[in-house]
């Protein structure tokens, strides 16, 4: 049962091969068996999940079944879910029980999906290895000595270890695509504004975007059918007609122009990873696509620009954690300032503190022009690089991450090394474009992800292009031995 | 901590290699303006629920250390 796709689970429920209650119990049982070895979940609440499953079974009995009705979905612990502890991986929110549902959670509830639990993540989504979580490291099911990537490391490990059929995730600089790459999954970061950010705990508001993490592109399409759509509660949510991402999933890709940016194959890319990406390119050639060389000349600046813009926005967003209205408050304090300082000193981890300090620094008087404004200008250059590239091609292909999963502890003490993990993913966030990572092969038995970047609102096409690859290859079906 | 911060600032300084004099700053990924909405209350009343989340409350107030002497 753990190997079934969302599509197969949906059909199984429809044909009464199993009930949602049986299905949910099955996955909760897998959590009992395996979660302790990979630490993918922060909160598991069996009673709540089982109650949702019972309700789903009634919906199915009444004949009102939707695609995801009755299917357990793991939810990243960044999404507020009413009555559920929602921590964002931080001590600061260790006591926070969300008083309302995020729009993403409401949509899954409305679809009759079962919340299987809240997944572990880097603290406030700041990290690329899931080593900054207050709740401990997540381990990669492919090799538990290695990281699952981050920040959506718990979601990635949960799906890769087949503890959940699918999961939600968020991506500010690569936090869906890099863990999907390191854990052998398909993950989609949609166009900025396509999925509502309401109730999704904010990191960098102009970059944050939620998306699905699944085994297949087809499953991601089914998840997107639920997650996407305009939301008046999020002023940056885009008003456009809702698409069905499954409709065109089998479209032919003959004549598709795939752009390969030469900057994605330069220094820093593992040579074995490069070979696997090239195999992927050859597979697409066989499938009738045309390959064109393109250039994204400012891509190397995306990391410095990101480490101005994201911390600047984070320093503002995270100022709300002051211990007054909710979240952690220090035990002993003399006055208000002392309470603020100790609360934040004790409640935040090192990486979060670093980014708050960088953020306040680049926004401070005297430095604003040199850092923040400069970064926003280069952000435009990066965005224009993509515009020019899409004059020559329909989609861009490259690696998702420079390497496969690395050993736990390997980069933790060196932020600059860690930041390089997102060298191929950050530019799409800065431009607001959609990006997808899918399994393209194995290196030393660890997954390698191929990234596809599309033009604005081309999610359906990206999923179609990935689906055609997956109907002709088997990489997405591989699973880690110890979790079978 | 300070050594790591200096490293990050060094990384950020790579931005100086580009001349950006004539470039417009980009604030929003899609270069669109914020929508306007009707001036009416849409938020639901969450007073009770919100107060329950706090470490220290008194009836309808959040309690913090004395600020005014």
């Amino acid at each position: 049962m753990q190997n079934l796709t969302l599509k197969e689970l949906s059909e199984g429920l429809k044909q009464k091969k199993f009930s949602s209650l049986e299905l949910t119990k099955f996955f909760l049982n897998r959590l009992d068996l395996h979660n302790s070895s990979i630490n993918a979940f922060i909160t598991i609440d069996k009673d709540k999940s089982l109650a949702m499953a019972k309700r789903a079974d009634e919906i199915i009995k009444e004949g009102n079944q939707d695609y995801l009705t009755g299917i357990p979905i793991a939810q990243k612990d960044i999404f507020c879910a009413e009555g559920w502890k929602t921590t964002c991986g931080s001590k600061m929110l260790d006591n926070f029980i969300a008083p309302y549902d995020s729009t993403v959670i409401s949509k899954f509830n409305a679809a009759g999906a079962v919340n299987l639990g809240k997944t572990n993540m880097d603290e406030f989504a700041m990290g690329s290895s899931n080593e900054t979580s207050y709740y401990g490291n997540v381990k990669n099911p492919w090799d538990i000595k290695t990281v699952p990537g981050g920040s959506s490391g718990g979601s990635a490990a949960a799906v890769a270890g087949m503890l959940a059929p699918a999961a939600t995730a968020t991506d500010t600089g690569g936090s869906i695509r890099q863990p999907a790459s390191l854990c052998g999954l398909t993950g989609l970061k949609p166009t900025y504004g396509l999925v509502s950010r309401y109730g999704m705990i904010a990191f960098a508001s102009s970059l944050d975007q939620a998306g699905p993490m699944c085994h297949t592109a087809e499953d991601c399409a089914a998840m997107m059918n639920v997650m996407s759509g305009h939301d008046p509660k999020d002023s940056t949510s885009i008003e456009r007609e809702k698409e069905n991402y499954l409709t065109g999933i089998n479209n032919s890709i003959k004549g598709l122009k795939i752009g390969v940016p030469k900057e994605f194959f330069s220094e820093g890319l593992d040579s074995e990873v490069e070979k696997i990406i090239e195999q992927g390119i050859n597979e697409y050639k066989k499938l009738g696509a045309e390959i064109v060389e393109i250039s994204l000349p400012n891509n190397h600046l995306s990391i410095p620009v990101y480490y101005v813009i994201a911390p600047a926005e984070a320093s503002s967003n995270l100022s709300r954690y002051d211990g007054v209205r909710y979240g952690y408050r220090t035990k002993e304090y003399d006055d208000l300032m002392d309470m603020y300082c100790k609360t934040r000193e004790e409640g935040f981890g090192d990486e979060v503190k670093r980014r708050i300090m960088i953020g306040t620094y680049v926004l401070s008087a005297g430095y604003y022009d040199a850092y923040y404004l400069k970064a926003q200008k280069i952000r435009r250059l990066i965005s224009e690089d993509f515009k020019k590239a899409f004059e020559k091609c329909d989609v861009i292909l490259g690696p998702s991450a420079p390497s496969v999963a690395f050993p736990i502890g390997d980069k933790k003490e060196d932020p600059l090394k860690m930041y390089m993990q997102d060298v191929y993913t950050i530019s799409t966030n800065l431009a607001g474009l959609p990006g997808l990572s899918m399994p393209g092969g194995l290196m030393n038995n660890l997954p390698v992800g191929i990234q596809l970047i599309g033009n604005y609102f081309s999610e359906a096409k990206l999923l179609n292009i990935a689906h055609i690859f997956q109907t002709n290859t088997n990489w997405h079906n591989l699973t880690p031995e110890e979790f079978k | 901590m300070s050594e790591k911060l200096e490293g990050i600032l060094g990384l950020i300084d790579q931005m100086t290699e580009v001349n950006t004099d004539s470039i417009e700053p980009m604030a929003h990924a899609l270069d669109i303006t914020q929508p306007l909405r009707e001036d009416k209350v849409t938020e639901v009343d969450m007073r009770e629920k919100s107060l329950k989340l706090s470490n220290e409350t008194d009836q309808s107030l959040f309690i913090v250390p004395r600020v005014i002497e």
Side-chain angles (χ1 to χ4, degrees), chain A residues 82 97 99 192 235 238 300-301 304 307-308 324-325 327 329 333 354 371 374 376-377 380 413 431 456, chain B residues 1 4 11-12 15 17-18 20 23-27 29-31 34-35 49 53-56 62-63 65:
Chain A
E82 189 174 351
I97 310 292
Y192 182 81
S235 67
I238 306 282
H300 67 291
L301 292 168
Y307 281 98
V308 172
V324 175
R325 291 152 301 149
R329 183 189 287 196
Y333 42 86
R354 270 198 284 277
Y371 289 119
K374 180 94 183 173
Q376 283 193 314
K377 288 177 173 184
R380 183 173 301 281
E413 294 309 316
Y456 297 109
Chain B
M1 181 65 90
K4 283 171 186 165
L11 170 85
I12 291 170
M15 296 195 307
E17 70 179 62
V18 200
T20 51
I23 313 290
E24 274 292 299
M26 176 174 160
L30 291 170
D31 269 344
Q34 295 269 298
K49 279 183 181 173
L53 294 169
S54 179
N55 293 283
E56 220 184 314
F62 295 114
I63 301 300

Side-chain angles (χ1 to χ4, degrees), chain A residues 82 95-97 99-100 192 206 235-236 238 300-301 303-305 307-308 323-329 333 335-336 339 350 353-354 357-358 361 370-371 373-381 383 413 415-416 419 430-432 456-457, chain B residues 1-2 4-37 42-44 46 49-57 62-67 69:
Chain A
E82 189 174 351
N95 62 359
F96 182 70
I97 310 292
Y100 69 102
Y192 182 81
S206 81
S235 67
T236 59
I238 306 282
H300 67 291
L301 292 168
I303 293 185
V305 166
Y307 281 98
V308 172
V324 175
R325 291 152 301 149
Y326 55 88
Y328 178 76
R329 183 189 287 196
Y333 42 86
D335 54 22
L336 187 65
M339 187 189 90
D350 283 350
K353 285 179 193 160
R354 270 198 284 277
M357 282 190 271
I358 295 283
Y361 178 71
Y371 289 119
L373 211 62
K374 180 94 183 173
Q376 283 193 314
K377 288 177 173 184
I378 302 177
R379 184 176 185 181
R380 183 173 301 281
L381 293 177
S383 174
E413 294 309 316
L416 298 189
Y419 297 171
L430 291 169
Y456 297 109
F457 305 110
Chain B
M1 181 65 90
S2 66
K4 283 171 186 165
L5 287 176
E6 272 173 37
I8 298 167
L9 291 175
L11 170 85
I12 291 170
D13 278 336
Q14 286 175 28
M15 296 195 307
T16 53
E17 70 179 62
V18 200
N19 184 327
T20 51
D21 290 347
S22 58
I23 313 290
E24 274 292 299
M26 176 174 160
H28 189 287
L30 291 170
D31 269 344
I32 54 167
T33 50
Q34 295 269 298
L36 296 172
R37 63 171 173 82
T42 54
E43 297 279 304
V44 291
M46 302 246 297
K49 279 183 181 173
S50 302
L51 281 164
K52 267 192 212 144
L53 294 169
S54 179
N55 293 283
E56 220 184 314
T57 53
F62 295 114
I63 301 300
V64 294
R66 178 189 290 270
V67 209
E69 293 301 326

Side-chain angles (χ1 to χ4, degrees), chain A residues 19 70 75 89 95 202 215 326 377 385 398 401-402 455 460 462:
Chain A
S19 66
Q75 301 287 355
N95 62 359
H215 290 289
Y326 55 88
K377 288 177 173 184
D385 284 353
N455 215 333
L462 285 180

Side-chain angles (χ1 to χ4, degrees), chain A residues 61-81:
Chain A
K61 211 161 112 190
E62 289 159 10
N64 296 323
Q65 187 190 355
D66 230 333
Y67 200 102
L68 295 184
T69 308
I71 300 178
I73 306 286
Q75 301 287 355
K76 186 174 179 179
D77 206 20
I78 199 167
F79 294 103
C80 287

Side-chain angles (χ1 to χ4, degrees), chain A residues 306-476:
Chain A
Y306 178 84
Y307 281 98
V308 172
I309 291 176
E313 294 181 10
S315 70
S316 167
N317 276 326
L318 272 62
S319 63
R320 66 186 61 150
Y321 303 105
D322 56 8
V324 175
R325 291 152 301 149
Y326 55 88
Y328 178 76
R329 183 189 287 196
T330 186
K331 294 292 161 279
E332 284 175 38
Y333 42 86
D334 302 327
D335 54 22
L336 187 65
M337 188 54 84
D338 194 40
M339 187 189 90
Y340 286 158
C341 291
K342 281 186 183 153
T343 293
R344 290 167 69 81
E345 157 76 35
E346 293 160 18
F348 289 135
D350 283 350
E351 183 62 22
V352 172
K353 285 179 193 160
R354 270 198 284 277
R355 297 201 195 186
I356 290 172
M357 282 190 271
I358 295 283
T360 46
Y361 178 71
V362 299
L363 288 174
S364 59
Y367 295 100
Y368 181 87
D369 285 7
Y371 289 119
Y372 190 66
L373 211 62
K374 180 94 183 173
Q376 283 193 314
K377 288 177 173 184
I378 302 177
R379 184 176 185 181
R380 183 173 301 281
L381 293 177
I382 290 166
S383 174
E384 278 167 6
D385 284 353
F386 280 110
K387 261 182 211 152
K388 280 180 209 141
F390 284 122
E391 287 167 11
K392 288 190 187 168
C393 63
D394 304 307
V395 64
I396 294 169
L397 185 150
S400 303
S403 67
V404 291
F406 47 90
I408 292 168
D410 197 36
K411 302 183 201 297
K412 200 184 172 197
E413 294 309 316
D414 188 346
L416 298 189
K417 259 195 201 166
M418 188 71 85
Y419 297 171
M420 288 309 289
Q421 277 297 304
D422 299 324
V423 65
Y424 307 122
T425 48
I426 280 177
S427 52
T428 54
N429 296 78
L430 291 169
L433 293 164
L436 175 150
S437 180
M438 62 175 180
L442 292 180
M443 172 188 151
N444 303 329
N445 207 38
L446 289 170
V448 173
I450 295 175
Q451 186 180 203
L452 299 170
I453 301 167
N455 215 333
Y456 297 109
F457 305 110
S458 66
E459 288 77 8
K461 193 170 199 174
L462 285 180
L463 291 164
N464 161 228
I465 296 166
H467 177 68
I468 298 299
F469 184 86
Q470 293 180 340
T471 48
N472 288 279
T473 57
N474 195 43
W475 303 114
H476 60 289

Side-chain angles (χ1 to χ4, degrees), chain A residues 44-218:
Chain A
I44 297 163
D45 188 327
K46 290 185 181 177
D47 291 343
K48 278 201 180 72
S49 300
L50 293 173
M52 291 175 92
K54 281 178 197 156
R55 204 190 58 198
D57 279 329
E58 277 169 29
I59 297 170
I60 295 169
K61 211 161 112 190
E62 289 159 10
N64 296 323
Q65 187 190 355
D66 230 333
Y67 200 102
L68 295 184
T69 308
I71 300 178
I73 306 286
Q75 301 287 355
K76 186 174 179 179
D77 206 20
I78 199 167
F79 294 103
C80 287
E82 189 174 351
W84 290 76
K85 182 164 125 165
T86 300
T87 71
C88 220
S90 182
K91 180 181 179 184
M92 194 60 99
L93 291 173
D94 185 48
N95 62 359
F96 182 70
I97 310 292
Y100 69 102
D101 282 327
S102 57
T103 296
V104 164
I105 294 284
S106 308
K107 284 174 178 280
F108 278 105
N109 290 348
V114 172
N115 186 344
L116 188 62
K118 307 292 296 289
T119 60
N120 204 340
M121 55 182 285
D122 277 300
E123 185 178 9
F124 287 106
M126 298 177 189
S128 307
S129 64
N130 220 122
E131 290 171 290
T132 72
S133 170
Y134 174 63
Y135 301 91
N137 299 344
V138 175
K139 292 161 189 169
N140 191 323
W142 287 87
D143 175 356
I144 58 164
K145 293 189 291 303
T146 67
V147 304
S151 67
S152 312
S155 289
V159 181
M162 292 172 288
L163 308 190
T168 55
T170 59
D171 190 315
T172 304
S175 285
I176 291 175
R177 291 159 290 159
Q178 184 255 10
S181 177
L182 271 46
C183 288
L185 302 173
T186 309
L188 173 72
K189 181 210 94 76
T191 304
Y192 182 81
L194 196 62
V195 176
S196 170
R197 294 187 297 108
Y198 178 77
M200 185 177 112
I201 296 170
F203 161 17
S205 306
S206 81
L207 304 166
D208 296 344
Q209 183 58 202
M213 223 179 231
C214 308
H215 290 289
T216 68
E218 194 172 23

